[in-house]
Amino acid sequence: MAGIFGKHTICGNFRALLPMRADCGVLFTSPVHIHGEILMSLSPEEVRAVAHLARLAVDEQRIPDYSRDLSRILELVEQMQAVDTASVEPMAHPLDMAQRLRPDEVTEPNQRERFQAIAPAVEDGVYLVPRVIE
Amino acid sequence: MHELGIAELARGLDAGEYSSEELTREVLSRIERLDKTLNTFITVDAEGALAAARGADERRAAGQAGPLTGIPLAHKDIFCTNGLRTSCGSRMLDSFIAPYDAAVVERLGANGMVNVGKTNMDEFAMGSSNETSYYGPVRNPWDTGRVPGGSSGGSAAAVAARLVPAATGTDTGGSIRQPAALCGITGIKPTYGRVSRWGMIAFASSLDQGGVFARSAEDAAMVLGAMAGFDERDSTSVEQVVPDYSAALDQPLKGLKVGLPKEFFGEGLEDGVRAAVDAAIAVLKEQGAELREVSLPNLGLSVPTYYVIAPAECSSNLSRYDGVRFGYRCEDPRDLEDMYKRSRGEGFGAEVQRRILVGTYALSAGYYDAYYLKAQQCRRLISEDFRKAFEAVDVLVGPTAPETAFGLGERADDPVKMYLSDINTLAVNLAGLPGMSIPAGFADGLPVGLQLIGNYFDEGRLLAVAHQYQQHTDWHRRAPEEQS
């Protein structure tokens, strides 16, 4: 397994991109209240912070446009705040159905070679990524 | 042959007037001749299609042909096709060769349909004009200076231009119904969970649903019947029997209770669209349908609600594109984080990036309750409006889009204006109901769509109403002039 100590290393389960609720609240300013209405906008710095959370390299030249577009979108979305939903049960599934369960059995055959044939970089059956352990 | 619908083509194949191979060659030659302008296809699979057509001809010769055997169709490039590029309209998947078939592809293939290729679409199905595709915009065959609608714009325009008799699509917020309306064809989005999402690239998982475009309700019924049904590989697939849609088309309209949501007919509805829709409703009335005004008071909330829920789910679903296992990887990454960030930054286009950013923001700490939770509550209110309406009526009817096809580039720089194009379709996805768009005439030479909305699992009734309407009108037979 030359990969681990060489130029590359194995990438394990990758969870970093899932929405992260716990570790990012401090990055943003609070909604601004003017004349009793909430006015939301996203500054260029905030756009950069969100882009980092999303692991998205955003072109510096695009930041002002995104700041404007995202502010407009948030302004549109603010219309929801005018509705009283205090006693409304959130709807997560359009048919209000629960997830179907299946027996905990192995059902998928191993197709590693097939799946790795479309990977950007593999070696000895493992996916290669830039080194993360010095 | 290109003027014929599926039912007529099936009769021709059965009678031996032409083979599926001849039919498929005709389809491929029309694509070759006409698609340079329209850009409806991302990938044409001539070799695979001809092989499938010859297989269909053999099955027919052996007496094993079903009603769809040997009929060509195209798949939206969001459905995985084994061994054939599945790009989802994105640079991210430009070189992605799917290692398996989507359930929809599998089922229609098992029914003998011949896949001729993969149609153009807004990148990851995010758009209402087909302008966000990495492969360039699709042009509306009725006016090549205008958009075909989106996100399934390639499928809709290909069917409208008579390149293929049917094509698959997906509808997360109107992506089948709105392009069907703007291109003047028939399109149906079934109830959420009716068609398997297995192998259909995910955008917003609580809203995504596959469906079909065709020239008529009769043709759509045949294809939908073949693609719908329970699939244990999709955790949200519903265990419900699929009725024989074709057999149910002849229900008369007499006594049908048709609800007209007044919110569909308010401000913002173009005069020409209003006139066409009013005339279509008059046809339903002449055939014995009873009209009732109903109200969906929270309909206006569907735009803000959708534009929280869809981006939030998209930001989560699209986190899988990290440059590791498949898809685009940037050149010479400095380190792992640089690889993630640049692969995604270079692989995704601007609209996809905007939605990932909005979704990431809406799900972030301190904002989850104000956005995602609030949107789920509004979603319940919107859904309740439909529940109440369906206590009084059988179907709801109105304009699919408040306007006809807009010009290429006209809204590309204003996302909010683009989002408002979907005002009449989003609520149906939020509620999970089946919806349909059928041709209902023209305004200034451009097609107008009539939207039919049904109760849960009532696709059969929508198809029957559409079929009855199409027995008394000929809008669905109108084809655009060819431009090569």
Side-chain angles (χ1 to χ4, degrees):
Chain A
M1 301 283 270
I4 300 175
F5 303 106
K7 179 163 137 253
H8 294 97
T9 190
I10 301 166
C11 182
N13 273 344
F14 183 57
R15 295 263 174 255
L17 296 176
L18 294 174
M20 288 160 290
R21 295 181 52 193
D23 61 349
C24 53
V26 292
L27 293 168
F28 308 118
T29 56
S30 300
V32 186
H33 293 257
I34 298 176
H35 306 305
E37 284 179 21
I38 303 173
L39 290 181
M40 285 302 310
S41 67
L42 271 191
S43 67
E45 291 75 69
E46 287 168 320
V47 171
R48 285 188 200 99
V50 185
H52 169 70
L53 288 176
R55 299 297 184 268
L56 198 59
V58 173
D59 213 329
E60 259 310 301
Q61 291 167 327
R62 274 190 185 168
I63 296 269
D65 286 350
Y66 279 172
S67 168
R68 184 201 60 209
D69 292 346
L70 266 52
S71 298
R72 281 193 199 160
I73 294 166
L74 291 175
E75 206 175 294
L76 169 82
V77 158
E78 281 308 308
Q79 292 170 18
M80 293 191 308
Q81 307 303 337
V83 187
D84 179 9
T85 53
S87 59
V88 181
E89 180 75 14
M91 183 172 167
H93 184 291
L95 304 173
D96 278 326
M97 285 169 71
Q99 193 91 336
R100 200 176 55 249
L101 300 176
R102 63 169 178 83
D104 186 14
E105 290 163 359
V106 176
T107 54
E108 290 290 322
N110 187 355
Q111 301 187 63
R112 177 191 278 183
E113 279 170 26
R114 217 180 138 108
F115 293 155
Q116 291 200 332
I118 52 170
V122 290
E123 191 179 293
D124 298 334
V126 297
Y127 293 96
L128 298 183
V129 296
R131 187 164 63 184
V132 288
I133 303 165
E134 289 299 326
Chain B
M1 277 184 264
H2 65 270
E3 282 300 335
L4 303 177
I6 294 176
E8 294 154 306
L9 289 170
R11 281 192 286 274
L13 288 167
D14 274 339
E17 289 166 28
Y18 36 80
S19 65
S20 174
E21 186 177 348
E22 286 169 315
L23 178 57
T24 302
R25 285 191 192 281
E26 162 83 2
V27 166
L28 292 169
S29 96
R30 281 180 63 78
I31 293 170
E32 168 106 36
R33 185 158 59 85
L34 299 168
D35 205 42
K36 281 181 198 75
T37 312
L38 298 173
N39 198 27
T40 65
F41 279 83
I42 291 174
T43 304
V44 176
D45 182 20
E47 205 181 307
L50 289 169
R54 284 190 285 267
D57 286 332
E58 280 164 26
R59 279 200 297 285
R60 189 172 301 280
Q64 295 163 349
L68 293 171
T69 303
I71 305 287
L73 97 161
H75 285 296
K76 183 177 183 179
D77 209 14
I78 198 168
F79 289 102
C80 286
T81 40
N82 194 0
L84 188 62
R85 175 170 68 170
T86 300
S87 75
C88 221
S90 181
R91 182 184 190 192
M92 181 62 82
L93 294 177
D94 182 49
S95 61
F96 175 63
I97 312 280
Y100 67 108
D101 276 335
V104 161
V105 172
E106 200 177 72
R107 284 183 186 220
L108 294 177
N111 274 274
M113 294 197 86
V114 173
N115 174 27
V116 298
K118 310 293 292 289
T119 58
N120 204 343
M121 56 182 284
D122 278 302
E123 185 178 9
F124 282 99
M126 297 174 200
S128 309
S129 67
N130 216 117
E131 291 170 293
T132 72
S133 170
Y134 177 60
Y135 303 92
V138 172
R139 291 170 181 273
N140 190 315
W142 292 93
D143 177 347
T144 52
R146 292 175 188 270
V147 304
S151 68
S152 317
S155 286
V159 172
R162 273 52 182 167
L163 300 182
V164 280
T168 55
T170 58
D171 190 317
T172 302
S175 286
I176 289 176
R177 290 159 290 152
Q178 184 253 19
L182 270 44
C183 289
I185 58 164
T186 300
I188 182 163
K189 174 204 99 73
T191 308
Y192 178 80
R194 186 53 120 174
V195 167
S196 173
R197 295 182 300 118
W198 198 78
M200 186 177 112
I201 295 174
F203 159 15
S205 299
S206 77
L207 301 162
D208 295 343
Q209 179 59 207
V212 63
F213 295 96
R215 313 261 171 80
S216 66
E218 185 186 14
D219 288 359
M222 293 173 75
V223 181
L224 184 63
M227 65 196 268
F230 176 65
D231 178 6
E232 63 178 11
R233 297 167 300 183
D234 171 3
S235 62
T236 57
S237 175
V238 180
E239 295 189 68
Q240 281 256 357
V241 176
V242 180
D244 184 342
Y245 297 130
S246 299
L249 290 174
D250 284 326
Q251 301 166 40
L253 294 177
K254 193 163 169 45
L256 181 83
K257 294 197 266 308
V258 174
L260 308 174
K262 63 177 185 192
E263 291 77 9
F264 280 155
F265 297 88
E267 239 179 282
L269 180 61
E270 275 179 11
D271 291 342
V273 175
R274 184 190 300 273
V277 168
D278 284 348
I281 292 166
V283 172
L284 299 179
K285 190 169 181 227
E286 276 163 30
Q287 297 307 311
E290 295 167 20
L291 308 180
R292 295 190 188 175
E293 187 179 282
V294 296
S295 178
L296 303 169
N298 292 297
L299 191 80
L301 260 185
S302 60
V303 182
T305 301
Y306 178 88
Y307 280 100
V308 170
I309 290 178
E313 295 183 6
C314 123
S315 72
S316 177
N317 269 325
L318 270 59
S319 68
R320 76 191 65 190
Y321 303 102
D322 56 10
V324 177
R325 290 159 302 149
F326 59 92
Y328 179 80
R329 179 185 287 197
C330 66
E331 295 283 332
D332 303 323
R334 278 195 314 278
D335 53 30
L336 194 58
E337 183 170 294
D338 182 52
M339 188 191 83
Y340 294 150
K341 286 187 169 179
R342 280 203 292 123
S343 296
R344 292 163 60 77
E346 294 165 17
F348 294 135
E351 180 59 18
V352 171
Q353 295 196 4
R354 271 188 212 109
R355 297 208 195 183
I356 289 174
L357 293 171
V358 170
T360 304
Y361 179 75
L363 290 173
S364 61
Y367 289 90
Y368 180 85
D369 288 0
Y371 290 114
Y372 196 65
L373 200 70
K374 182 80 182 180
Q376 287 189 318
Q377 290 172 314
C378 292
R379 184 174 188 176
R380 169 106 33 215
L381 295 176
I382 293 161
S383 177
E384 281 295 301
D385 286 352
F386 281 107
R387 192 185 56 74
K388 285 178 199 143
F390 282 118
E391 283 172 5
V393 299
D394 301 314
V395 291
L396 297 170
V397 161
T400 307
E403 68 228 329
T404 52
F406 45 92
L408 281 161
E410 214 172 87
R411 291 182 195 174
D413 297 329
D414 188 345
V416 168
K417 199 163 182 206
M418 187 72 90
Y419 296 173
L420 291 169
S421 330
D422 303 330
I423 178 89
N424 290 358
T425 52
L426 298 172
V428 176
N429 299 78
L430 290 166
L433 294 163
M436 191 167 179
S437 182
I438 55 173
F442 294 84
D444 295 327
L446 295 167
V448 172
L450 181 74
Q451 182 171 220
L452 309 172
I453 303 165
N455 212 336
Y456 296 103
F457 303 105
D458 217 4
E459 292 83 9
R461 195 197 304 259
L462 292 186
L463 289 161
V465 173
H467 180 67
Q468 292 305 312
Y469 176 78
Q470 291 178 343
Q471 298 305 294
H472 296 96
T473 54
D474 70 349
W475 303 120
H476 63 294
R477 295 187 198 284
R478 306 288 180 92
E481 272 174 43
E482 282 180 14
Q483 341 224 345
S484 53

